[in-house]
Amino acid sequence: MTDPAARAENLSRELDFAFRNRADLYRLFLDELTAELGAERAEAVMIRTIEQRGREVAAAAFADFGPNDAPAIGERFWPSAPMAAACIRLMSNAVNIALPSR
């Protein structure tokens, strides 16, 4: 597929499908866990599992950054959203002003 607009549309559909599929899997997992463990325990298991995956992703994604690298994080992860990177820089500057390094 060489037409950029058609490629973008196809990728958009695939991404939408992937998100919907993930939501369906979460729903099915929660239904099964609820049936086995009850609603409260099922929710706790889902929360722990999703948070663990978030920690795994974050560890890999942010491994190259230090505690004062907020602008670099914004520039790497939001290159197509200049306002987001600008917000990160502003927040970083505010933190540096509020909490000066020693």
Side-chain angles (χ1 to χ4, degrees):
M1 179 179 302
T2 57
D3 177 30
R7 179 171 162 69
E9 179 60 33
N10 187 51
L11 289 172
S12 177
R13 279 193 305 274
E14 289 177 6
L15 182 61
D16 183 66
F17 175 79
F19 279 122
R20 290 175 188 274
N21 188 56
R22 184 183 320 175
D24 285 336
L25 285 170
Y26 286 163
R27 176 183 50 80
L28 293 170
F29 283 133
L30 183 58
D31 288 349
E32 288 296 317
L33 288 167
T34 299
E36 292 288 325
L37 306 172
E40 190 173 310
R41 288 187 61 209
E43 182 180 347
V45 168
M46 291 290 290
I47 288 169
R48 284 194 314 270
T49 303
I50 293 166
E51 287 177 347
Q52 178 60 35
R53 179 61 183 144
R55 285 189 292 274
E56 290 174 357
V57 169
F62 297 102
D64 297 338
F65 296 103
N68 297 317
D69 290 338
I73 292 169
E75 289 166 7
R76 178 179 297 173
F77 293 99
W78 289 300
S80 62
M83 288 305 297
C87 288
I88 293 291
R89 279 193 288 281
L90 286 172
M91 287 186 289
S92 175
N93 290 338
V95 168
N96 289 336
I97 291 168
L99 302 169
S101 58
R102 296 174 194 203

